[in-house]
Amino acid sequence: MTSSVSLVHAQEKVLNLYSARHYQTDEVLYSNFTKQTGIKINRIEADDNALFERIKNEGKNSPADVIVMVDAARIWRAEIEGFFQPVQSKILNARIPANLRGKDDGKGPEWFGFSTRARVIVYNKATVKPADVATYESLADPVNKGKVCTRSGSHPYNLSLIGSMIERDGEKATEQWAKGMVANFARPPRGGDTDQIKGVASGECGVAIANSYYYVRLLRSTKAEDIAAMKNVGFIWPNAQTSGTHFNIAGGGVAKHAPHREAAVKFLEYLASDEAQGYFAEGNNEWPVVKTAKVKNETLESLGKFKMENVSVASIGKNQIAAQRILDRVSYK
């Protein structure tokens, strides 16, 4: 866990941000917010679980003003744990689509999604036929035995995918799929999404699952080895003809005990501005959620449009325990 500076309560022109985002490209988001408002951002950056533990331990004394998570299920969990407070903002309600906001019981939503990313399939062009890996379900088919690579099944990105599959297909069918995945592994799950794509490029893996922004990041790389590697990799929008591609969000809300609530709301409204939304696309290859935001990222745009699955954030969140139990039963580490 890293802290840019010590957090403070008393200063007026300050915002204490607890963030699970760890992308260097977000620096411009923070610096521009400070330039526009004069509000200094103090950051605590850590993974989701570390932030959860910190916030629980701090309780009512937590200095957190804004909490940002990078996974729908984690945002749902933060809401269930009572980490957020409702926000009534005409700007946020007008700019953030209703399906990417928390439930509003009359006091305002407790969280807002600010960018989206898709869980896509990448395959080795020389060894795998696109038709054999067109859906998440097909990765568990016998034709792909010895070809599949993923990061840990228990990583939030995969837990959310499995949670959505449970919602669509039920636990029994999802467990059968997970068994098939384990049977088809080219190697034990390890590394991050970039490692899976590079494994496909090298031929160690035939097919892998990765978040879309990792794929675009490698496509945009100017390193000779990345340029050469990506010539071997094909890309698929999974389940395009059926349930749609699983997508996830990065988002957040105002912390329940925020000492600088006004600054916190200003920051969330800033993240919904066309300017900030453009940074999500250009800086980290994520899709903006605001329709008027302009995307100046030709590589991201070149992926085209895709059919999104119709599964709620709440259902993905509530299926996390069942997803982990399935993984444990089939030894999907």
Side-chain angles (χ1 to χ4, degrees):
M1 184 181 295
T2 60
S3 172
S4 56
V5 292
S6 60
L7 299 182
V8 294
H9 287 267
Q11 281 181 268
E12 291 184 0
K13 286 287 190 176
V14 72
L15 173 77
N16 297 326
L17 172 64
Y18 280 31
S19 177
R21 288 179 68 92
H22 48 81
Y23 315 121
Q24 289 185 346
T25 50
D26 283 354
E27 293 294 337
V28 69
L29 279 170
Y30 307 140
S31 62
N32 280 4
F33 174 74
T34 300
K35 287 177 185 176
Q36 291 180 22
T37 64
I39 298 172
K40 181 181 178 182
I41 297 180
N42 297 322
R43 297 200 315 278
I44 287 290
E45 292 182 348
D47 65 29
D48 298 303
N49 286 328
L51 288 179
F52 274 109
E53 288 305 310
R54 184 180 185 116
I55 294 166
K56 280 184 177 180
N57 290 336
E58 290 172 342
K60 293 181 179 181
N61 296 319
S62 176
D65 292 308
V66 172
I67 302 168
V68 173
M69 299 284 174
V70 290
D71 178 79
R74 293 300 188 259
I75 294 172
W76 176 85
R77 179 182 162 196
E79 181 179 29
I80 295 301
E81 293 278 3
F83 290 168
F84 297 130
Q85 62 174 279
V87 172
Q88 289 187 324
S89 165
K90 291 181 179 178
I91 292 174
L92 290 171
N93 287 345
R95 296 180 69 79
I96 306 297
N99 67 317
L100 298 178
R101 304 195 301 257
K103 185 173 65 172
D104 185 351
D105 291 328
K107 297 180 180 179
E110 292 193 0
W111 59 264
F112 302 85
F114 293 105
S115 64
T116 63
R117 62 281 292 274
R119 202 87 179 120
V120 301
I121 290 172
V122 295
Y123 65 95
N124 185 288
K125 293 178 181 178
T127 62
V128 171
K129 297 177 182 178
D132 289 338
V133 292
T135 67
Y136 301 114
E137 291 81 2
S138 66
L139 300 186
D141 292 345
V143 69
N144 292 311
K145 188 171 182 62
K147 297 179 181 179
V148 177
C149 287
T150 75
R151 69 194 302 161
S152 169
S154 296
H155 189 275
Y157 299 158
N158 284 338
L159 280 175
S160 287
L161 170 62
I162 296 167
S164 75
M165 295 180 76
I166 291 172
E167 191 65 19
R168 290 198 317 268
D169 306 324
E171 287 188 41
K172 186 176 180 180
T174 302
E175 183 164 341
Q176 285 301 116
W177 170 83
K179 282 183 181 178
M181 288 287 284
V182 172
N184 286 352
F185 283 157
R187 66 184 185 196
R190 67 170 186 263
D193 284 5
T194 299
D195 298 304
Q196 314 315 316
I197 300 170
K198 289 185 174 180
V200 168
S202 71
E204 181 182 11
C205 314
V207 62
I209 306 172
N211 273 358
S212 50
Y213 62 89
Y214 290 104
Y215 177 78
V216 177
R217 186 183 298 168
L218 285 172
L219 282 180
R220 296 180 76 189
S221 174
T222 57
K223 295 180 180 178
E225 60 267 33
D226 291 341
I227 294 171
M230 293 308 286
K231 291 179 180 178
N232 301 327
V233 179
F235 165 89
I236 287 174
W237 292 120
N239 298 57
Q241 305 303 317
T242 56
S243 56
T245 298
H246 174 67
F247 76 100
N248 214 324
I249 61 174
V254 176
K256 185 172 185 178
H257 305 292
H260 311 105
R261 189 181 189 281
E262 185 177 342
V265 174
K266 280 185 179 179
F267 182 68
L268 295 186
E269 291 176 342
Y270 165 74
L271 293 182
S273 68
D274 281 5
E275 177 188 47
Q277 289 283 296
Y279 287 134
F280 284 119
E282 175 60 23
N284 198 48
N285 307 302
E286 298 169 272
W287 287 284
V289 301
V290 176
K291 293 181 179 179
T292 56
K294 294 181 180 180
V295 176
K296 297 177 182 178
N297 184 332
E298 291 183 2
T299 308
L300 180 63
E301 287 286 89
S302 72
L303 300 185
K305 305 295 183 182
F306 67 99
K307 177 183 177 182
M308 288 186 177
E309 68 177 2
N310 184 24
V311 180
S312 72
V313 169
S315 64
I316 291 174
K318 69 180 175 60
N319 288 335
Q320 295 298 284
I321 294 175
Q324 186 60 60
R325 286 175 178 165
I326 286 172
L327 291 169
D328 292 340
R329 286 197 294 267
V330 304
S331 298
Y332 189 155
K333 301 299 184 182

